[in-house]
Amino acid sequence: RAYSLLFSRWGPSESAVLSNLPEYPTGDPALDRELCDLLSYLEHPEVVAKTIPLMEVAQGTLEAELIDQSTLERSEQYGPVIAAMRENRPLEQSMAYALSLTQTREGWTDDLRARYFKWFYQSLVKSGGESYKGFLEKIRLKALDQVPAEERGVLAQLSGEVLLDQPITISAQVDPPKGPGRVWEVGEANTLISEHLKNRSFTHGQQMYQALLCGSCHSMQGQGGNVGPDLTQTGTRFSAWDMLQSLQTPSLAISDQYAGTLFTLKDGSTLVGRTLHTTDDSLFVNSNPYQPTTTLALAKSQVASQQNSPVSLMPAGLINSLNEEELLDLMAYLKSGGNPHHEVFD
């Protein structure tokens, strides 16, 4: 760790420092994380060959369990959410190795590259929390930036790009809204909810949530996208009025964390989207929240200016296709945070 701090301030040292390091891997997970990062930074010729087998082993998490079950059971609001997260923790150790190896260009063979990028595919078919796939995708894109251009297409496919680029569609098991819809005024909808938000249907509310594609951008109970905020605790943090206003006019209040960027190009055209990653020459921008990993490459030389967009990436009027019963069940589902045992249900 001391070497890492020195190099972060003064740059890489002479290769002689490698002779002063412990033999890698050591068998100590914490020490091996530090060594992998340091050896990758120093372009050690054997770090890739020694690390890929460690990545491929299904390792338990290095992080200690900080909260015991008895503590979780004391909180009806947060306990079940934390317990569900703990049941589905990602393999942080393997992810740390994968990130470290994005630094090195030395020691790669065709077989090692194939095994490395196949690990992403195997990891993407799992789920590991609200931001899991977002973090994994950033590591994957950084790794692809390091490979020869002629190999990127094949390796991108091998790494599971198809799992990320599938269009968000409504499942055959989900019934779309029957309507008839209306342009819901917030006050009118809030009055309806204040009088009738009881004995609602969890299943129908969940179907409306899925039919409106809320899960493509938002996470609930650890499942869904990360384009927008997690909705698990929405019902405990916001009133029905606040939720309705966000659904109907999301541009009224946009968090900096989830704001899109308004790009003005030198030809006078504009584009609104999220920058997913950059290279020396280009920005890779997603402009469709329903396909959150599909990107458009913008040459930096084409961009005249960029600023936070005053228009939300979330479409306005999402509930206008719903009738009264559909709106009530959806709002009950949002208030419950996806908990079928909440008091608003039968």
Side-chain angles (χ1 to χ4, degrees):
R1 181 62 179 157
Y3 278 128
S4 297
L5 292 172
L6 289 170
F7 296 158
S8 70
R9 288 161 173 76
W10 295 322
S13 176
E14 297 179 1
S15 59
V17 71
L18 295 174
S19 63
N20 296 326
L21 297 176
E23 183 66 25
Y24 172 75
T26 67
D28 180 320
L31 182 55
D32 284 342
R33 273 197 196 185
E34 294 287 351
L35 279 170
C36 181
D37 205 42
L38 186 57
L39 294 172
S40 298
Y41 172 78
L42 294 173
E43 299 280 7
H44 189 286
E46 297 179 4
V47 66
V48 174
K50 290 184 175 183
T51 303
I52 298 296
L54 300 179
M55 282 178 56
E56 294 172 331
V57 175
Q59 302 173 65
T61 178
L62 174 63
E63 282 68 24
E65 298 292 352
L66 300 178
I67 305 176
D68 60 35
Q69 187 62 32
S70 62
T71 304
L72 295 180
E73 290 172 354
R74 299 203 316 252
S75 172
E76 294 182 3
Q77 180 176 352
Y78 295 106
V81 177
I82 297 173
M85 276 175 25
R86 196 166 64 178
E87 290 282 322
N88 196 29
R89 293 186 68 157
L91 300 175
E92 293 101 331
Q93 187 78 353
S94 293
M95 290 181 71
Y97 289 140
L99 177 59
S100 293
L101 291 184
T102 62
Q103 302 176 84
T104 183
R105 296 177 181 269
E106 300 297 324
W108 292 98
T109 64
D110 290 344
D111 176 65
L112 289 172
R113 281 204 193 281
R115 290 166 64 185
Y116 177 78
F117 282 99
K118 185 178 179 181
W119 174 87
F120 285 96
Y121 185 97
Q122 294 167 337
S123 300
L124 282 167
V125 297
K126 303 175 184 178
S127 59
E130 175 186 357
S131 301
Y132 170 68
K133 288 191 176 180
F135 286 128
L136 204 60
E137 173 64 352
K138 288 181 180 179
I139 298 172
R140 190 185 75 91
L141 292 173
K142 189 174 181 181
L144 284 170
D145 284 342
Q146 300 288 352
V147 304
E150 64 273 13
E151 298 180 28
R152 287 176 192 165
V154 173
L155 293 174
Q157 184 177 9
L158 186 65
S159 67
E161 198 160 74
V162 65
L163 299 176
L164 294 159
D165 287 340
Q166 296 178 81
I168 303 296
T169 57
I170 299 176
S171 166
Q173 286 74 43
V174 175
D175 293 327
K178 292 183 172 61
R182 69 177 81 171
V183 179
W184 283 101
E185 297 291 338
V186 172
E188 174 193 15
N190 188 62
T191 299
L192 175 71
I193 290 163
S194 66
E195 296 175 354
H196 299 287
L197 202 67
K198 55 186 177 181
N199 299 323
R200 305 313 310 173
S201 167
F202 173 84
T203 301
H204 191 231
Q206 186 180 52
Q207 286 208 337
M208 292 302 97
Y209 179 86
Q210 295 171 348
L212 296 180
L213 301 180
C214 302
S216 64
C217 297
H218 298 277
S219 177
M220 184 180 285
Q221 297 288 343
Q223 301 294 322
N226 60 3
V227 176
D230 183 275
L231 300 181
T232 308
Q233 298 299 331
T234 297
T236 63
R237 297 171 57 205
F238 301 102
S239 67
W241 180 284
D242 293 330
M243 288 190 280
L244 288 164
Q245 193 168 64
S246 293
L247 285 164
Q248 289 299 78
T249 53
S251 296
L252 282 179
I254 307 173
S255 166
D256 288 344
Q257 185 178 358
Y258 301 107
T261 301
L262 172 62
F263 297 93
T264 302
L265 307 185
K266 291 182 178 178
D267 64 4
S269 62
T270 60
L271 174 72
V272 175
R274 298 182 305 131
T275 302
L276 298 186
H277 78 292
T278 65
T279 63
D280 291 340
D281 303 319
S282 300
L283 302 167
F284 293 85
V285 179
N286 167 255
S287 59
N288 183 354
Y290 294 121
Q291 296 183 21
T293 61
T294 301
T295 60
L296 172 68
L298 285 180
K300 290 181 178 179
S301 59
Q302 295 177 345
V303 178
S305 66
Q306 53 183 296
Q307 63 190 71
N308 279 356
S309 172
V311 178
S312 174
L313 294 172
M314 178 176 169
L318 275 179
I319 60 175
N320 288 341
S321 61
L322 307 180
N323 61 35
E324 289 188 2
E325 294 300 309
E326 291 166 340
L327 176 62
L328 285 166
D329 286 338
L330 171 67
M331 292 300 293
Y333 184 75
L334 291 173
K335 182 175 178 62
S336 76
N339 175 14
H341 306 296
H342 195 277
E343 63 185 8
V344 295
F345 298 120
D346 297 331

